[in-house]
Amino acid sequence: MRGFLASSIGVTCAAALALPLTPPALAATASPVPAAEAARPAPRAGTPATTSSDRRAAEPSAAGSTQSLPLEPLARDRTTPSAPATEQGLPRRAVRHFSLVGVVWDDPYAELHGRVQVRTRTAGTGTWSGWQDVETHNADHAADPDTPERASGRVRGATAPLWVGDSDGVELRVRSESDDSAAGSTGHTSGTRNLPAAPPLPSGMRLELVDPGEDDNASSGDEEEPRAAGGANAETSAVTETSAVAEASAVNADLAAFGATEIAALNRAESEQEYLALNPGGLTERQLRAKPYVGPRPGIVTRRGWGANEGLRESGFRYTKKVKAAFVHHTASGNSYRCSQVPSLIRSIYRYHVKSMGWRDIGYNFLIDKCGKIYEGRAGGVAKPVLGAHTLGFNSNSMGIAVLGSYGAKKPSKSAVKAVARLTAWKLGLYRMNPKGKTYLKSAGSNLHRKGKKVRLNVISGHRDGFKTECPGRKLYGKLGSARSKAAHYQGR
């Protein structure tokens, strides 16, 4: 696929000046956010007064922003008052508008053993939610060890993000718990049992409140220039945000018009012709004579379509050699979103991955909502083998597909499962992979497979097949067999 993998950046510079930052359909309505609208709302009755540090953390900013609030000790062990607090959080307070929350800490290798719960106040109504759990085990979604992205010095430990919708108040509590504490609370024992002490919480914990920005301001956002590789903030960047927008669009130029907000669906015959066109000189005579098992290309919303601020991510793209497997994930961000909110949800996850967690871009290659719509994830071209940060230890020669939501107890929609099948039938077909088959990937190191081990996996696998994790949730994992069969059928097998 050498010809296919050649970058389209050659047309970027010429097109950069012609491509506006705001998507065409939204250009007429885009406008700066008035200062009065961006200002922090006054606390409602019954809301504790905020401190000067709270106000500094919640200064007005352009649409699309992150408020980062350091946690405070909430409780200490009275017998050892000098010991680190086993409970941290934030008292109820008013803040600027946000829609997604998460907790980060300094050391990406440190684990949070405990429970994170948040309450939020709905903007407009002033109604406070009940306590909601935030998924704490998220380290398995990450770049591989010993990669430039992992070793950038910017990466932080983090919980999964939780979508809460438009909110303007928050309360948080984080409690350290030992792994045996739950077991020690059940059953009957004689005498006194000494339970293990709760482990210390990670240092440098902060609450991240992410505002995705309004749809009509999403592309202009923070007016940030793309980060240069190897530097968090390059003083002078050769790539402006305008050229970054063009760069992200140019890599899909073989599939859609430059600046398109969606890549149109194709039928099987058209997809087979596309397969040959994308592989000039990359196929053997035998492969050219053989029937191509490529599923019909599904419609895909581009980064421009969901309003990605290309100034957030690191400039340039990173590729792996091929796509031999697809790992299916859930985002563990909750199921309360509406499908009309998905562009905002994806912009929030993107901002959380980059600004809060320190990644070079959003980690997943594709995202799928519960209505079955497919979205482009990490920049680099939807048909290309873009190196993601989705399955720690197995990002090379694979792609990551995240179904938006939490599927431990809730069944995924039929539309979402069908979309997984349609996407994998096409993308795996471009690399001549059978969705019902097996393949080998070399582990870069995980808690399930040692570094260097060649692991036999399903071509369509769940995240838990490469790493000991609950992802993609029991209910979604149980649907992968159906997705494999459907994908093979779409390929004509």
Side-chain angles (χ1 to χ4, degrees), residues 132 162-164 330-339 341 345 370 403-413:
Q132 300 183 76
L162 177 68
W163 175 260
V164 295
H330 69 168
T331 56
S333 52
N335 302 306
S336 63
Y337 70 89
R338 300 188 303 273
C339 290
Q341 296 175 313
L345 173 53
K370 57 189 174 186
V403 181
L404 294 163
S406 302
Y407 299 102
K410 182 178 178 60
K411 290 182 180 180
S413 68

Side-chain angles (χ1 to χ4, degrees), residues 33-381:
V33 177
E37 294 181 18
R40 180 175 182 242
R44 290 183 169 84
T47 301
T50 54
T51 66
S52 59
S53 62
D54 298 333
R55 289 192 292 271
R56 284 196 301 273
E59 287 298 318
S61 66
S65 62
T66 301
Q67 301 169 73
S68 186
L69 309 176
L71 303 196
E72 306 166 1
L74 296 182
R76 289 187 183 274
D77 187 340
R78 293 182 179 180
T79 61
T80 54
S82 62
T86 57
E87 184 173 354
Q88 296 184 27
L90 292 173
R92 185 182 297 193
R93 66 185 62 196
V95 292
R96 281 191 289 110
H97 285 244
F98 67 96
S99 296
L100 180 138
V101 305
V103 174
V104 301
W105 52 90
D106 295 338
D107 184 359
Y109 296 99
E111 294 187 33
L112 196 167
H113 295 282
R115 191 174 188 183
V116 177
Q117 293 182 302
V118 66
R119 297 181 65 202
T120 56
R121 185 178 65 190
T122 302
T125 68
T127 303
W128 283 89
S129 72
W131 287 105
Q132 300 183 76
D133 286 302
V134 180
E135 174 59 54
T136 59
H137 298 293
N138 192 50
D140 45 319
H141 298 76
D144 287 341
D146 303 323
T147 59
E149 182 171 7
R150 184 75 172 180
S152 67
R154 297 188 299 266
V155 180
R156 304 179 187 92
T159 67
L162 177 68
W163 175 260
V164 295
D166 188 18
S167 304
D168 60 7
V170 69
E171 182 178 3
L172 178 78
R173 63 189 184 197
V174 181
R175 293 174 177 168
S176 175
E177 297 177 355
S178 66
D179 293 338
D180 296 331
S181 61
S185 64
T186 61
H188 301 278
T189 60
S190 58
T192 302
R193 180 182 176 186
N194 294 322
L195 295 175
L201 291 169
S203 62
M205 297 180 70
R206 304 181 72 89
L207 173 64
E208 304 289 288
L209 304 176
V210 181
D211 170 21
E214 298 296 328
D215 286 347
D216 60 351
N217 287 286
S219 290
S220 52
D222 285 342
E223 299 300 331
E224 298 171 78
E225 289 190 349
R227 297 196 319 248
N233 291 295
E235 292 184 2
T236 304
S237 176
V239 183
T240 64
E241 185 181 1
T242 306
S243 62
V245 173
E247 177 187 54
S249 185
V251 287
N252 287 318
D254 290 335
L255 311 180
F258 192 81
T261 58
E262 185 167 358
I263 297 170
L266 299 179
N267 61 34
R268 182 181 294 173
E270 291 169 333
S271 298
E272 291 177 355
Q273 293 174 0
E274 176 191 64
Y275 164 79
L276 296 174
L278 291 174
N279 285 277
L283 299 175
T284 65
E285 284 295 324
R286 183 177 179 180
Q287 289 170 339
L288 287 170
R289 291 195 303 268
K291 171 182 171 56
Y293 290 103
V294 180
R297 187 181 77 195
I300 302 171
V301 178
T302 65
R303 291 171 63 91
R304 187 165 173 77
W306 53 261
N309 178 353
E310 300 296 350
L312 293 181
R313 66 175 173 84
E314 188 176 289
S315 61
F317 311 117
R318 300 291 182 269
Y319 298 100
T320 185
K321 292 181 179 179
K322 58 184 71 174
V323 179
K324 297 174 63 179
F327 285 100
V328 178
H329 304 256
H330 69 168
T331 56
S333 52
N335 302 306
S336 63
Y337 70 89
R338 300 188 303 273
C339 290
S340 61
Q341 296 175 313
V342 169
S344 294
L345 173 53
I346 297 177
R347 290 198 303 274
S348 297
I349 294 174
Y350 170 44
R351 175 174 281 276
Y352 185 69
H353 281 183
V354 176
K355 302 295 284 187
S356 300
M357 297 179 66
W359 295 358
R360 73 183 316 274
D361 195 351
I362 192 170
Y364 308 112
N365 298 104
F366 296 93
L367 302 100
I368 293 173
D369 68 24
K370 57 189 174 186
C371 292
K373 184 166 286 189
I374 302 169
Y375 299 81
E376 177 183 15
R378 180 163 287 208

